[in-house]
Amino acid sequence: KPFPLGMVLSACPEIVNYGPGGHVTSWRDLMSAAIVVRSMLGVSPSAYEEACGILGPENAATVIACILERAGHINSAGGYLRDLSRRAERGEFSLGPMLMAQMRGQAGAKVGTTSKAG
């Protein structure tokens, strides 16, 4: 079951730029954006299809959005997605903690830009 779209976009705002017309207002928009980003990150169609089959299309798109946010820290987005898919298949990966960590990172980034050092 997918997380609320608003939560995903709050945690992963960069994906919005790749939606139709630079907007993401529905799951369909997010999944379209994920396909653009998948290609941009060098994730093969087969790795993404595998993730969609295991996680479901909404959750696979959410994982791509999370990977986009951390692209500078991930050497192989395709390898990472395949690893997460395999772990999910074995019941060793849940999207919730990944999304929550991303939300905390966004909140920290916002606080960091507005607070003064004490």
Side-chain angles (χ1 to χ4, degrees):
K1 184 174 189 270
F3 287 83
L5 181 60
M7 178 188 288
V8 173
L9 298 178
S10 173
C12 307
E14 290 294 317
I15 194 85
V16 172
N17 299 322
Y18 301 95
H23 303 287
V24 172
T25 58
S26 67
W27 280 108
R28 178 174 288 204
D29 290 351
L30 182 70
M31 290 186 280
S32 294
I35 289 169
V36 171
V37 170
R38 171 204 66 74
S39 176
M40 188 181 83
L41 293 174
V43 175
S44 70
S46 64
Y48 187 65
E49 287 168 23
E50 179 185 7
C52 286
I54 294 167
L55 300 167
E58 293 90 351
N59 288 339
T62 300
V63 170
I64 290 290
C66 288
I67 291 174
L68 175 63
E69 291 292 328
R70 299 193 39 76
H73 304 281
I74 296 169
N75 291 330
S76 169
Y80 185 51
L81 182 62
R82 283 194 191 275
D83 181 58
L84 293 178
S85 296
R86 281 192 217 95
R87 288 172 47 202
E89 223 171 12
R90 295 191 304 259
E92 297 171 359
F93 169 72
S94 174
L95 182 54
M98 180 185 222
L99 202 53
M100 293 303 140
Q102 196 58 49
M103 287 186 79
R104 282 192 302 275
Q106 288 299 329
K110 287 177 187 161
V111 168
T113 58
T114 59
S115 66
K116 294 180 183 175

